[in-house]
Amino acid sequence: MPKTLKLILLSIRDLLVSAGPVAFIVAGLLVLAYWWLDPQPPKQVTLATGPAGSAYAEFGKRYAAALKPNGIEVILKPTDGSLDNLELLRKGEADVAFVRGGSANPVADEEAGLTSLGALFYEPLWVFYRGEVAQRLEQKKKWSERKKNGEHSELNALVQLKGVKLNIDKPGSGVPQIVDQLLRANHIDPQSIELSHLEQTPAAEALEAGLLDAIVLASAPQSPLVQKLLRTPGIELMNFEQAEAYVRRFSYLSDATLPRGVVDLASDLPTHDVTLLATTTSLLSRQQTHPALRQLFAQSAQAIHSSGGWFNRARDFPNTRTSELPVSPEGDRAINGTPPFWQRYLPFWASNLFERMWLVLGGLVVLMLPLGRVVPPLYQFRVRSRVFRWYAQLRDIEQRADSRAEAPEVLLSELEALEANANKITVPLSYANELYELRSHIYSTRRRLTAMKPQP
């Protein structure tokens, strides 16, 4: 190996060994910060959706497709609806879930660590009924007599539902609880109505077959079942003429208008504006859900729910105004803030790692400034110690020479061995003077020992 290359490699080795303690400290702090912050999310996340064919189920598929390119598998968990979803979140059996307004207990659920990623869409209460029901209800005439514009051939108030066969969805959906509150507000005893709790699809089939008079659904208009019933001949949609009164009495309700012709312009369906009661569905998550996953869901919600719909204009959703629970920082930033510029140029894993670790990296840079000052003295000490360690042996030889305890020939033999080792020392050129000083001192000691030898 050429001597110059050997010197270069030796200098690099000395530098690496000198900087080793600092590098070890920095690496240890990085590992500790990575373990503490846990920047990379798990590869699977459970999303509680809803019954098959519901809007929740359809949106769940869209979220699964949105997160798949980032290497995240979304496990869709079918449920009966909002109350089931809330229970799964509380038990930790779901990470994220769709929850309808009015289902959560704001105080208790906030204390349990549930937060919102934003309100996603309106979810109207669709009261579908058979057309002939309005003609035979006993209460219809009494209700119409109280209307200034005469009798109506449609249902427009819950008080008209006395005596009908009404399906109000399964208990886990949360719809029965809402309907019960609305009926009691109208002083209607639930016992005066033949209530049933069929799932949405069987209930719709029973309504079409005439086995039920009316059904109540709570779903977004994107639901295939809602789309079908709106177009089914003989099936009508209740118009809530008292919607404003309900909104004033129930904070989780909003009034929503289904515009004339929005379902089908060519068929002019519906033939007039229909006023509905609506709740707002939010995307809730657990506090233990990884922040990166919450961020991904909140960002995906922007793409999935920001377009205009039957009840809202473009970019009305997602929003943070109509959430019952506090909105998480990830949801607020995705909805009201501006995404960091690096998210546009880095893949998800790198962007997430940088975002979660940048404070740590900045702190380490600040820490390395004083630690970096230790490296030059360590390097200097390591190189000089390669020369200085032989001075101990040289001093020992001189002390033994002064005491004349041993013959000069013996000491000269040890000195020659010392000189042979000194000649093998390799140091950078900047430290060559110290090596030559060692050799000069060895030479001086040899002259002294040679003078001490007896003359023939």
Side-chain angles (χ1 to χ4, degrees), residues 280-303:
T280 303
T281 294
S282 299
L283 190 63
L284 302 188
S285 69
R286 301 170 61 239
Q287 191 174 15
Q288 293 82 358
T289 302
H290 198 282
L293 292 177
R294 295 202 297 263
Q295 176 183 325
L296 272 180
F297 272 96
Q299 291 175 344
S300 299
Q302 288 291 101

Side-chain angles (χ1 to χ4, degrees), residues 442-453:
I442 293 175
Y443 177 74
S444 299
T445 304
R446 178 185 289 109
R447 289 183 59 186
R448 182 181 174 190
L449 291 175
T450 302
M452 293 175 61
K453 289 175 59 177

Side-chain angles (χ1 to χ4, degrees), residues 57-98:
E58 297 301 317
F59 281 128
K61 296 176 184 177
R62 296 177 65 179
Y63 277 96
L67 268 66
K68 187 176 181 180
N70 296 309
I72 307 297
E73 179 188 1
V74 179
I75 300 174
L76 303 178
K77 196 176 186 68
T79 64
D80 289 335
S82 286
L83 290 185
D84 275 2
N85 293 353
L86 264 176
E87 194 62 26
L88 291 175
L89 284 176
R90 292 163 180 163
K91 293 179 179 179
E93 297 177 9
D95 302 299
V96 189
F98 298 112

